[in-house]
Amino acid sequence: MFKAGLVGLFLMATVAEANSPSVSLRPVTRADTLAEDLSKLAPRSSMRPRTRSTRAERRAAKAARKNPQTHFTSDGTQLVSICRDPDLFGLPVGRVPGKLPGCGVQNAVKLYVVSGVKLSSPVVMECDTASAIKSWVENGMAPAVGKTGGGVAKLQVAAGYACRTRNSRPGAKISEHGKGRAIDIAGFHLQNGDKISVLSHWNNGSYGRILKNMHRSACGPFGTVLGPESDRFHQDHFHFDIAKHRGGPYCR
């Protein structure tokens, strides 16, 4: 009878343990341990093969890493620092012969970017002209615009090098455009997508005030500064050139 009592107590304890929610009687399988181990072996990146880049793309990427100011033309040609100035980017051109007497440029460059600001179309010019544009962009244009629209992203170029007379009038003197010493600017594209137009905004609100400050600040870096109030030929753009006048800069 004593042995029967002990067997009964043992069976009661076993049943109680089996019914306890904190203890599982399910046997541990190999799959339980493998699931955790296999998760550690999963690749951290995609196993899909990468598309191989071209040699030109790799060269361009390497150049961009070395110089964050690397720029390219629309056809992928890498621009270089020109006029011995790290803020002027373009391409060397060399001698540009003139079709008319008095035209032409001896050591021309083609300017694409000045102090981080792009030109809507590249302009052939002398290095002295490029340097004057840089001085005005940094010390005149940029302060005039300030933080408006995030600043200027691109200059809307109306004209650059052109072998012609002043205002294309017959018999007139050769324009500074025909010597690579001038640029015409019709507007300014802002970082936020807005555009300041010389034609539309000269007398129009805050953009008009910005344009007038730009125009005023160009007198000094350039020898000639013409705008909408100068004559009928400049209603829609600024004309800047580096001609030297006896009485100092001519600004209208």
Side-chain angles (χ1 to χ4, degrees):
M1 178 176 280
F2 178 73
K3 289 182 178 180
L6 289 176
V7 171
L9 290 174
F10 176 75
L11 290 175
M12 291 176 63
T14 302
V15 171
E17 183 176 357
N19 292 332
S20 174
S22 60
V23 179
S24 174
L25 295 180
R26 182 173 63 87
V28 176
T29 65
R30 185 173 179 77
D32 295 324
T33 57
L34 287 177
E36 182 178 357
D37 293 339
L38 289 175
S39 65
K40 297 177 181 179
L41 298 177
R44 296 184 180 181
S45 59
S46 173
M47 298 297 288
R48 186 175 60 183
R50 297 180 180 178
T51 303
R52 292 179 63 85
S53 59
T54 65
R55 182 177 299 179
E57 290 172 337
R58 293 194 297 273
R59 200 163 46 233
K62 184 178 180 180
R65 288 193 297 271
K66 286 185 176 181
N67 184 359
Q69 293 192 68
T70 301
H71 301 280
F72 298 88
T73 64
S74 57
D75 64 0
T77 302
Q78 182 177 340
L79 301 178
V80 298
S81 176
I82 56 176
C83 302
R84 299 181 180 180
D85 191 318
D87 296 320
L88 299 175
F89 283 86
L91 295 172
V93 175
R95 181 176 178 273
V96 177
K99 296 180 180 180
L100 297 175
C103 283
V105 187
Q106 288 301 315
N107 297 300
V109 295
K110 186 179 287 188
L111 182 66
Y112 284 77
V113 182
V114 52
S115 299
V117 179
K118 297 180 180 179
L119 276 62
S120 62
S121 57
V123 179
V124 172
M125 61 181 66
E126 292 183 346
C127 277
D128 287 348
T129 311
S131 296
I133 295 172
K134 174 189 173 180
S135 176
W136 171 72
V137 163
E138 293 183 349
N139 304 310
M141 184 202 75
V145 174
K147 297 181 179 180
T148 302
V152 175
K154 181 168 62 177
L155 303 180
Q156 185 64 45
V157 176
Y161 175 79
C163 183
R164 60 173 175 79
T165 59
R166 293 179 183 176
N167 301 316
S168 299
R169 291 179 295 179
K173 293 182 178 180
I174 293 296
S175 168
E176 294 299 307
H177 284 283
K179 305 172 186 178
R181 297 165 61 84
I183 186 172
D184 289 350
I185 300 174
F188 305 85
H189 298 262
L190 305 181
Q191 296 284 356
N192 67 354
D194 288 350
K195 180 183 177 182
I196 302 177
S197 165
V198 174
L199 178 63
S200 302
H201 297 120
W202 178 252
N203 289 311
N204 189 353
S206 61
Y207 282 178
R209 290 189 292 273
I210 288 174
L211 287 170
K212 286 179 170 62
N213 287 334
M214 288 182 180
H215 179 273
R216 189 181 304 112
S217 66
C219 192
F222 296 99
T224 308
V225 176
L226 302 176
E229 296 179 8
S230 63
D231 55 42
R232 64 186 179 88
F233 298 104
H234 299 89
Q235 297 297 306
D236 61 353
H237 68 274
F238 292 151
H239 167 88
F240 299 150
D241 70 48
I242 59 171
K244 296 186 183 299
H245 305 283
R246 289 183 180 180
Y250 181 85
C251 307
R252 296 290 184 273

Tab-separated table of all heavy atoms in Angstrom, residues 2-20 25:
chain	number	residue	atom	x	y	z
A	2	PHE	N	1.945	1.226	0.716
A	2	PHE	CA	2.856	2.388	0.764
A	2	PHE	C	3.417	2.690	-0.602
A	2	PHE	O	3.489	3.839	-1.037
A	2	PHE	CB	3.989	2.089	1.768
A	2	PHE	CG	4.978	3.209	1.837
A	2	PHE	CD1	4.661	4.404	2.465
A	2	PHE	CD2	6.231	3.055	1.263
A	2	PHE	CE1	5.601	5.407	2.535
A	2	PHE	CE2	7.147	4.076	1.318
A	2	PHE	CZ	6.842	5.252	1.966
A	3	LYS	N	3.807	1.622	-1.362
A	3	LYS	CA	4.344	1.826	-2.710
A	3	LYS	C	3.284	2.380	-3.639
A	3	LYS	O	3.547	3.221	-4.486
A	3	LYS	CB	4.862	0.502	-3.273
A	3	LYS	CG	6.127	0.026	-2.585
A	3	LYS	CD	6.608	-1.257	-3.238
A	3	LYS	CE	7.903	-1.721	-2.591
A	3	LYS	NZ	8.417	-2.963	-3.191
A	4	ALA	N	2.071	1.937	-3.513
A	4	ALA	CA	0.977	2.443	-4.347
A	4	ALA	C	0.742	3.914	-4.120
A	4	ALA	O	0.468	4.696	-5.037
A	4	ALA	CB	-0.310	1.652	-4.069
A	5	GLY	N	0.909	4.348	-2.843
A	5	GLY	CA	0.734	5.769	-2.536
A	5	GLY	C	1.791	6.608	-3.203
A	5	GLY	O	1.552	7.705	-3.698
A	6	LEU	N	3.054	6.136	-3.183
A	6	LEU	CA	4.145	6.903	-3.813
A	6	LEU	C	3.934	7.008	-5.319
A	6	LEU	O	4.189	8.061	-5.927
A	6	LEU	CB	5.479	6.191	-3.547
A	6	LEU	CG	5.981	6.259	-2.093
A	6	LEU	CD1	7.259	5.438	-1.953
A	6	LEU	CD2	6.242	7.707	-1.698
A	7	VAL	N	3.479	5.912	-5.937
A	7	VAL	CA	3.215	5.932	-7.378
A	7	VAL	C	2.124	6.923	-7.713
A	7	VAL	O	2.203	7.679	-8.679
A	7	VAL	CB	2.838	4.531	-7.873
A	7	VAL	CG1	2.351	4.593	-9.314
A	7	VAL	CG2	4.015	3.587	-7.737
A	8	GLY	N	1.125	6.992	-6.860
A	8	GLY	CA	0.028	7.932	-7.089
A	8	GLY	C	0.495	9.360	-7.022
A	8	GLY	O	0.126	10.217	-7.829
A	9	LEU	N	1.347	9.676	-5.979
A	9	LEU	CA	1.861	11.047	-5.857
A	9	LEU	C	2.711	11.410	-7.067
A	9	LEU	O	2.691	12.539	-7.558
A	9	LEU	CB	2.686	11.157	-4.570
A	9	LEU	CG	1.903	11.095	-3.257
A	9	LEU	CD1	2.868	11.057	-2.071
A	9	LEU	CD2	0.988	12.310	-3.146
A	10	PHE	N	3.510	10.488	-7.574
A	10	PHE	CA	4.395	10.739	-8.733
A	10	PHE	C	3.561	11.033	-9.976
A	10	PHE	O	3.866	11.947	-10.734
A	10	PHE	CB	5.283	9.500	-8.964
A	10	PHE	CG	6.142	9.635	-10.200
A	10	PHE	CD1	7.269	10.454	-10.197
A	10	PHE	CD2	5.794	8.952	-11.358
A	10	PHE	CE1	8.033	10.555	-11.335
A	10	PHE	CE2	6.561	9.083	-12.473
A	10	PHE	CZ	7.696	9.885	-12.478
A	11	LEU	N	2.489	10.290	-10.162
A	11	LEU	CA	1.631	10.514	-11.324
A	11	LEU	C	0.932	11.853	-11.239
A	11	LEU	O	0.790	12.570	-12.249
A	11	LEU	CB	0.592	9.378	-11.430
A	11	LEU	CG	1.148	8.000	-11.816
A	11	LEU	CD1	0.037	6.950	-11.753
A	11	LEU	CD2	1.750	8.054	-13.219
A	12	MET	N	0.523	12.258	-10.050
A	12	MET	CA	-0.160	13.550	-9.880
A	12	MET	C	0.802	14.694	-10.190
A	12	MET	O	0.441	15.695	-10.836
A	12	MET	CB	-0.702	13.674	-8.453
A	12	MET	CG	-1.868	12.725	-8.161
A	12	MET	SD	-2.388	12.816	-6.426
A	12	MET	CE	-2.939	14.519	-6.363
A	13	ALA	N	2.064	14.585	-9.768
A	13	ALA	CA	3.056	15.635	-10.022
A	13	ALA	C	3.363	15.751	-11.511
A	13	ALA	O	3.537	16.838	-12.055
A	13	ALA	CB	4.337	15.334	-9.238
A	14	THR	N	3.410	14.623	-12.198
A	14	THR	CA	3.709	14.622	-13.644
A	14	THR	C	2.607	15.290	-14.424
A	14	THR	O	2.838	16.076	-15.340
A	14	THR	CB	3.893	13.184	-14.128
A	14	THR	OG1	4.948	12.570	-13.383
A	14	THR	CG2	4.209	13.159	-15.624
A	15	VAL	N	1.355	14.985	-14.058
A	15	VAL	CA	0.196	15.596	-14.737
A	15	VAL	C	0.169	17.090	-14.503
A	15	VAL	O	-0.082	17.884	-15.400
A	15	VAL	CB	-1.100	14.935	-14.247
A	15	VAL	CG1	-2.314	15.700	-14.771
A	15	VAL	CG2	-1.152	13.491	-14.706
A	16	ALA	N	0.487	17.536	-13.283
A	16	ALA	CA	0.483	18.972	-12.956
A	16	ALA	C	1.538	19.705	-13.776
A	16	ALA	O	1.331	20.807	-14.277
A	16	ALA	CB	0.734	19.163	-11.457
A	17	GLU	N	2.716	19.109	-13.920
A	17	GLU	CA	3.795	19.733	-14.692
A	17	GLU	C	3.419	19.812	-16.172
A	17	GLU	O	3.707	20.805	-16.849
A	17	GLU	CB	5.079	18.916	-14.524
A	17	GLU	CG	6.277	19.548	-15.237
A	17	GLU	CD	7.556	18.772	-14.979
A	17	GLU	OE1	7.499	17.797	-14.203
A	17	GLU	OE2	8.585	19.141	-15.567
A	18	ALA	N	2.779	18.797	-16.690
A	18	ALA	CA	2.382	18.776	-18.101
A	18	ALA	C	1.356	19.844	-18.399
A	18	ALA	O	1.310	20.404	-19.496
A	18	ALA	CB	1.835	17.405	-18.467
A	19	ASN	N	0.481	20.166	-17.420
A	19	ASN	CA	-0.560	21.176	-17.612
A	19	ASN	C	-0.074	22.595	-17.346
A	19	ASN	O	-0.812	23.561	-17.511
A	19	ASN	CB	-1.761	20.871	-16.704
A	19	ASN	CG	-2.478	19.602	-17.138
A	19	ASN	OD1	-2.458	19.246	-18.315
A	19	ASN	ND2	-3.105	18.918	-16.179
A	20	SER	N	1.168	22.755	-16.903
A	20	SER	CA	1.697	24.095	-16.584
A	20	SER	C	1.935	24.869	-17.875
A	20	SER	O	2.568	24.359	-18.797
A	20	SER	CB	3.014	23.962	-15.803
A	20	SER	OG	3.580	25.251	-15.627
A	25	LEU	N	6.238	20.781	-23.554
A	25	LEU	CA	6.693	19.403	-23.647
A	25	LEU	C	7.036	19.021	-25.081
A	25	LEU	O	7.384	17.887	-25.355
A	25	LEU	CB	5.587	18.473	-23.119
A	25	LEU	CG	5.277	18.627	-21.622
A	25	LEU	CD1	4.183	17.656	-21.232
A	25	LEU	CD2	6.527	18.401	-20.782
